Structure formats: C-alpha cells, structure tokens
Amino acid sequence: MTAELVRGQNHPLSQARLEIRVSAGKPIVAGATLSDEQGKVHGVEWVAHPGAPTLPGLEVSRQAAADHRLAVDLGAMPEAVHRISVLLALPTGVAGPARFGGLAAPFVAVTGLDGTEVASYTITGLEAESAVVALELYRRQDAWKVRAVGQGYADGLADLLADQGLPEAHTLAGSINEAVAQGLARSVPAPTRTADGDRSRQTAAPALGSDQAGTAPQSPVPPQPPISPYGGQTSGRSTTPHGAQGTPQGSTDPAAATQPSAPTTPTAGGPVDYSHPRRQTTAPPPPPPTAPPAQPGQPQQPVAGDATGWSMDERLYNQVWGMFEDLARSTAAYRSAVDFADSRMEKELDQALSDPRSRIGGQGDAAREAARAKHAQLVEQAQAVLDRDLAQLAAEADVVEPALPAAYARWDNPVWHNYRVPMEIPMALRLGDLHLPEAPAVSIPMLVRLPLERGLWIDSGRAGTIDGSFTDSHEVKRLAMDTAVAIAARLLAVYPAGEFAVHVIDPAGSGGQALVPLVQPGVLAGPPAVGAAGVTDVLARLTQRVDLVQMAVRGGASDALPPGFDTAEQLLIVNDFPHGFDDRAVTQLRYLADEGPAVGVHLLMVADREEASAYGPLLDPLWRSLLRLTPVPDDHLADPWVGHAWTYEPSLVPSGSQVLQRVLQLVAVARTKHT
C-alpha cells in the first residue's frame, strides 16, 4: 500500500530499481545530486541534470517537462554515495512562472518498475522559491529509505547546489539553465485540466492521516511549527514540556531541534486559518490556579483544564494537544539518546579493533566490555527519564480523560450517560486514540477540528495488525462499518438538533446489520440508498446542493437559496465502493470530496482501495484528499513534526453497551421537535 508522506517523514525501500515520477502542471527542470554521509556533493560529476543526465545508477530527464520519470538503480550506486537528492527547479530566462507559488503543488511518487507506488509526496507550502529539494533517498545501515524533504530556495538552483557544498554551484547552475533553454522547445506541455481535474494537489495539506512512518528531516531548513493532528499549531499549554532533558552529551536533542520558528516564506495562498470561528482574537486568559503547589522534590499534581483558553472545552482541547507534544518530545529524546549510545558503542568498538595489538588478549576484551557497559548505562539513563515522563503523562491522562466533554470523550466515559443534545457546535471531535510503541499505556485522544476540513476514509482492506497477524477480510469490513457508524453517531450527537444530516449509500446492502443503530431511531436523512439507481439519486442531490451553495456564496447572495433549503451540514457514508458506481458517479464522488467540505458536505467512505484498482490513477486524488483511518489498531499515522509513527485505534462502542442507542434516541426526539 502506498505511503503518503508528509514533510520530514521517511519510508523504507524494498526494491533496488525504482522510478521517481514528478508532476507539476508546468514545465520544470528535474535533476539529482549524489552526496556522502555528511550530505556533501564533491563535484559537478556528482550531479545529474539535463546537460549530463546519466550517472552510475541514475538517469534524469534531458529537458524541462510538466511530467518527469527519473530512473534509479540503488544496487548500482557507488559505495561512497549515501544520499540521492531529487531536485526540481523552474527554468530561467523563458516565459512562465518564476516561483513555485504560481504553480499547483508538485507531486512526487516513488514507484517500482511495474508502476506500483511505494511512496508519494505532495510538496505544499511553496511560495517565492524557484528551486526545491523534493525527496532524498538515503542509505542507513545497508538499507535504503526515502524521505520527503520539500526544502525550497528563493535564490534558485545555484543557492540549492551551494547549500549542498558544491564549490562550482553558480557555474553549474548556469550551464544547466543553458542546456534547458536549448531543449525547452521540446518540453512536454502541461495536460489540459478538466473541470473535475486533480484539485487535491492544489489544496492538499499535511495531515496526520497518511500511511507513513519516519524521522525528523536532517536538512538545513529551520524547523517549522509543530502541526497538530487536530488541526491546530500551538497548545497554549502552561506546563513545562517533558523530555527536554536527559539526553547524553553529544547527542542530538530533538526537543531543542524541533522548537517552533517562523517560516522563512509564506505558505502558498496564505496560511491556513485554524482558529475557531467563535473564538475571540485577543489573548485567552491563563488557566485558573486549581492545583495546590507541589512539594519540594515532588512533581506537580496534574489537573484537568491546565491550559489557556476562553472556555473549559477550549482549555481541555489545548491540554490534550499539549499532552501530544509532551509525549512526542519525550519519545524523541529517548530515541535520540539510544541512537547516540549505539553510535558511541560502535565507534569505541571500532577503535578497539583497529589496533592489531588489542584484537587478541585481555586488553581488547576489556575495551569491548567497557564500551558495552557505557552503552547500557546511557540507555538505562534514557529509559529512566522516559519512564519518569510517561508516569507524569499517565497521571495527567487519568485526570483529563474523565473530565472531557462528550465530543472529546470515549464511548465508555460516564459523560454519555448524562448526554443532552447540545445547543452549539463543539470545537473538535474525537476520532480515536493515538499512542507510541514506547508508551502503549499512554493514549492521546485524536481530536479533529469542526467543521471537518476533509473527508474520512475507513480502510476496509485486508491489513496486518500491530502484532504481525492478519485480520480476516470479512471481519475487517464489519469493523470498518462499525467504525463509520460510531463516527457518524458521534457527529449527530455533538451537533445541535437539525444542524447535521447523514445520508448512506450501500449499493449491495452489505452494511445493513451495522447500520441498524442509525436506521432504527430514524436519525438518517432517508433510507440507505441501494443499487445503481439509489447511488445516482443521492449523488445528484448532494452535487446539486454543492453547486447551489457555491453559486450563492460566490455571488454574495446567500439569501437567494431556494425556499425550504436545508442549511444543515451533510455527511455521506459510502459503503462497498466502487460497487454500483459508474464513471459519472465516480466523477461526482470526486467532486464532493474536493468541493464539498467548503460548503458543508462531507464524505465518509468505507472502502478497500484494491477493489477500486481497475480505475487506476484516476482515483489517486480521491484517496489523497481523504484522511485514512483503520478499523483495527495500525501505526500508519505520522506527524510531520518529529516524524513518529503513531498507532491509531478507533473509538468503538464497548460490546454490550446500550449507550449508542440511548444517545441516538435522544437525537431523534430532538430532531422531531426541531422540525
């Protein structure tokens, strides 16, 4: 399955012979540099470009083009090469955009020779840059990986090459531009985009919803502000972050290396505004001093709502995000300390073995034992710091979890037993839980901001579990529908009466049993649509709705909507895709995924991507536009901050519990009164 990378994330490569495919919409220059372990390019002969397109194990395009295919043979790479950087640049001295901000976001994919995607990356956030390092393939302990970089340079190709240590950077950049100018007449034109073209590349934003795992980028770019999986950027948390201490001298401290700093260039189209529509713009008040002061030598006792915010819900939201930050920092510090201990032991063992006199006898054995003992001591110190931080986070989670409102709470939280239909929309919604392998007992609620900014995809394909076993495909499909029903029920429960409607497309009727909790109370907007005719009817109505709202908004005549127009937000659950879908229905579905969220129409798909493989790359923009979730615990979510692979676990109703039925009955009664 394709790993959809975000900036700074990596993915292992199991094949030696690969293709790197680039799509930018306008003619651009593609090249690559080879560098050593320190990332230094030693000469012009280490650069593949249109003027010299072939190097051992590497071939790039000979001209500027809207689409490129770069051939890579990792097995043919010289031993001195440890990194291959894929470069993209805009041609100079010709008509066309002078900066990447004037183009659609470039899309880069690493594929096998058969065209199967291994990893992909949409390079977002470019503005004034005219050259960018898109990806890098790097060798680590005799294994190759790919990392999404996305580092741009406003001063162009010369600045990029100089940053990689090439002395002849400006001369080489000039010769590349000359070679490109000579062949520009042969460049491949951009394909004509239709009305339902690939809009997702223009609007794609990094989110914690791709299938990846990785480490923090090792590039000279200043660290970007941490991006929350909940849609925010900072927590306003007043507590001191954990994990910032205890890293042995000489190691890289990820807590310090990933501190937020202002980006050097604005993001394309302006920064995304994650602020809540009803939140005031002035600084929120600090949290109330509810906790007694800690005794000397004792940790501060955690309290719920220990973060800034205008309301208790906002303080709890910020506190949860702060817990996510703390766990990420602590784990990054621990992993950095262990890596440092491993590298130090390897260095000391190499030094001991480099002297022939110490290879045999007691002196060599003593040196090896001392190196191993020091390694064990450093790892033990790092583990002690991690255990301390995890204990404090676990104590905080024990306090925060019972205090969460219904929208943030698990289904087994007692808050649901006192549920009442709300009068206003909450800030966020809980989709499940996140945890890391070093701390399986510490779960962080995965909250997403409301209203939803992108659709959801529950992957019902056959997948392996965390312990390496495989779940039966029929069981996965059942769990996927249960997950979709639980999310839909939660959305119905947290919106005021009459402000949220749910439609269902179930062409084959295979989800009938799972849909009973929604069908019986009558909380759906209509019966589940079955067959091709039902699919066509529902999609036509929702597509028309999107068109009407868009025209009203663009024309500044929102009061001109037809009489009786339902202004509630809409959620469409699609089960068993693509069964029952023809080409027109698929186009309409893509249109809803791209344009719907902006006008209150959201998509929740339950689908196996392999079953839709007959459509080929046509559906790739659809899958990329959706936040992928899994019905079983899976470590496919990654944050672009430090690159941890977070295990996602869906929030399901406990077996035998009647809480879902009770909540939906109250929702149905409130809907009846509202109408």
Side-chain angles (χ1 to χ4, degrees):
M1 189 169 292
T2 305
E4 299 176 5
L5 305 180
V6 294
R7 182 176 180 176
Q9 188 176 356
N10 64 17
H11 186 75
L13 298 174
S14 58
Q15 305 176 50
R17 301 181 65 189
L18 302 165
E19 275 191 351
I20 299 176
R21 302 184 180 185
V22 181
S23 178
K26 295 286 185 181
I28 63 171
V29 182
T33 61
L34 308 181
S35 53
D36 58 17
E37 286 184 286
Q38 287 72 42
K40 180 178 176 59
V41 179
H42 288 270
V44 295
E45 66 276 11
W46 285 45
V47 182
H49 55 85
T54 304
L55 292 178
L58 178 64
E59 184 175 1
V60 304
S61 303
R62 299 174 181 268
Q63 60 191 28
D67 297 282
H68 292 270
R69 291 191 178 186
L70 285 66
V72 179
D73 186 355
L74 299 176
M77 283 293 157
E79 289 295 325
V81 174
H82 288 262
R83 187 180 302 174
I84 307 165
S85 299
V86 178
L87 320 177
L88 307 179
L90 296 174
T92 60
V94 296
R99 57 190 184 90
F100 275 104
L103 302 177
F107 176 76
V108 188
V110 180
T111 73
L113 296 184
D114 59 354
T116 303
E117 283 192 6
V118 178
S120 63
Y121 175 41
T122 301
I123 311 173
T124 59
L126 298 177
E127 178 62 25
E129 298 87 347
S130 58
V132 61
V133 179
L135 297 174
E136 65 179 19
L137 314 182
Y138 63 100
R139 195 200 313 254
R140 182 69 56 82
Q141 298 179 348
D142 296 328
W144 285 89
K145 294 184 178 182
V146 57
R147 177 184 288 127
V149 181
Q151 171 62 50
Y153 295 82
D155 293 333
L157 194 57
D159 192 32
L160 185 155
L161 295 172
D163 194 41
Q164 296 196 4
L166 183 65
E168 308 91 338
H170 290 273
T171 303
L172 179 59
S175 63
I176 293 175
N177 290 328
E178 290 177 2
V180 171
Q182 293 174 4
L184 196 58
R186 305 188 303 274
S187 63
V188 180
T192 304
R193 292 188 181 270
T194 60
D196 63 333
D198 185 357
R199 285 176 290 269
S200 67
R201 294 182 188 171
Q202 302 180 36
T203 58
L208 190 121
S210 306
D211 317 337
Q212 339 87 349
T215 56
Q218 302 297 321
S219 64
V221 61
Q224 300 298 312
I227 301 176
S228 166
Y230 321 127
Q233 287 192 340
T234 57
S235 64
R237 183 175 168 86
S238 61
T239 54
T240 302
H242 308 293
Q245 66 275 21
T247 305
Q249 184 180 3
S251 67
T252 301
D253 183 358
T258 57
Q259 291 301 317
S261 63
T264 57
T265 58
T267 56
V272 177
D273 182 9
Y274 290 110
S275 62
H276 194 266
R278 293 188 301 278
R279 184 186 298 177
Q280 302 183 40
T281 56
T282 55
T290 56
Q295 298 296 325
Q298 297 296 324
Q300 178 73 34
Q301 293 300 315
V303 293
D306 186 17
T308 58
W310 290 100
S311 65
M312 187 61 176
D313 286 2
E314 186 175 356
R315 292 200 295 269
L316 287 169
Y317 173 87
N318 288 333
Q319 186 172 13
V320 168
W321 169 225
M323 292 167 61
F324 173 84
E325 286 182 318
D326 289 350
L327 182 55
R329 286 193 188 99
S330 296
T331 306
Y334 170 76
R335 293 179 181 179
S336 176
V338 172
D339 289 345
F340 169 75
D342 292 343
S343 62
R344 174 170 177 160
M345 182 177 68
E346 291 178 3
K347 181 179 180 180
E348 292 177 348
L349 290 176
D350 289 343
Q351 290 177 346
L353 295 175
S354 63
D355 187 354
R357 295 171 299 177
S358 63
R359 293 177 187 170
I360 303 176
Q363 184 179 357
D365 293 339
R368 286 188 287 270
E369 288 300 322
R372 295 189 181 99
K374 185 61 177 178
H375 174 271
Q377 179 185 1
L378 293 175
V379 172
E380 184 178 355
Q381 290 175 355
Q383 185 66 54
V385 174
L386 178 66
D387 291 343
R388 180 201 64 199
D389 292 347
L390 294 183
Q392 188 169 348
L393 278 171
E396 187 172 10
D398 291 341
V399 172
V400 170
E401 189 68 45
L404 294 177
Y408 305 172
R410 290 195 297 253
W411 285 108
D412 58 358
N413 193 306
V415 71
W416 287 107
H417 296 289
N418 298 320
Y419 169 77
R420 295 293 182 271
V421 178
M423 300 298 293
E424 62 177 15
I425 303 173
M427 286 184 57
L429 183 84
R430 185 173 190 154
L431 293 181
D433 295 278
L434 302 171
H435 61 81
L436 292 171
E438 288 85 354
V442 180
S443 293
I444 307 297
M446 179 180 174
L447 306 180
V448 294
R449 297 296 290 265
L450 292 179
L452 296 173
E453 296 179 352
R454 62 189 299 197
L456 304 176
W457 165 32
I458 313 298
D459 190 352
S460 61
R462 180 180 175 87
T465 57
I466 297 300
D467 58 4
S469 62
F470 286 87
T471 307
D472 179 73
S473 59
H474 296 289
E475 179 68 10
V476 171
K477 291 181 183 294
R478 183 189 66 81
L479 291 173
M481 274 304 296
D482 289 344
T483 303
V485 168
I487 292 175
R490 187 182 288 269
L491 283 164
L492 284 166
V494 303
Y495 270 78
E499 294 192 19
F500 199 85
V502 177
H503 309 262
V504 176
I505 290 179
D506 188 18
S510 59
Q513 184 62 35
L515 291 169
V516 168
L518 297 177
V519 174
Q520 278 187 349
V523 295
L524 294 178
V530 296
V535 172
T536 302
D537 178 62
V538 173
L539 290 177
R541 285 190 284 112
L542 290 178
T543 302
Q544 183 184 39
R545 174 191 174 84
V546 172
D547 290 339
L548 286 173
V549 176
Q550 281 188 339
M551 287 189 293
V553 171
R554 292 169 181 171
S558 57
D559 56 347
L561 291 170
F565 184 85
D566 183 11
T567 59
E569 297 211 16
Q570 312 287 314
L571 175 71
L572 174 60
I573 302 177
V574 179
N575 183 37
D576 210 15
F577 177 80
H579 182 82
F581 281 74
D582 56 18
D583 290 345
R584 177 178 174 81
V586 169
T587 301
Q588 289 176 320
L589 191 69
R590 283 189 53 189
Y591 178 71
L592 293 179
D594 289 344
E595 306 293 342
V599 293
V601 178
H602 311 285
L603 194 60
L604 175 54
M605 289 189 61
V606 181
D608 179 1
R609 188 170 182 172
E610 295 299 323
E611 294 181 356
S613 59
Y615 286 94
L618 175 67
L619 291 181
D620 287 350
L622 173 65
W623 305 118
R624 287 198 299 268
S625 68
L626 303 174
L627 172 60
R628 177 178 174 260
L629 303 174
T630 54
V632 295
D634 185 70
D635 59 351
H636 70 283
L637 295 178
D639 67 83
W641 181 22
V642 290
H644 293 323
W646 292 82
T647 297
Y648 166 79
E649 187 170 356
S651 179
L652 298 175
V653 180
S655 178
S657 173
Q658 299 297 314
V659 64
L660 186 62
Q661 290 82 346
R662 178 183 177 277
V663 167
L664 291 180
Q665 287 172 358
L666 294 175
V667 171
V669 171
R671 284 166 55 92
T672 304
K673 294 179 179 179
H674 177 77
T675 55

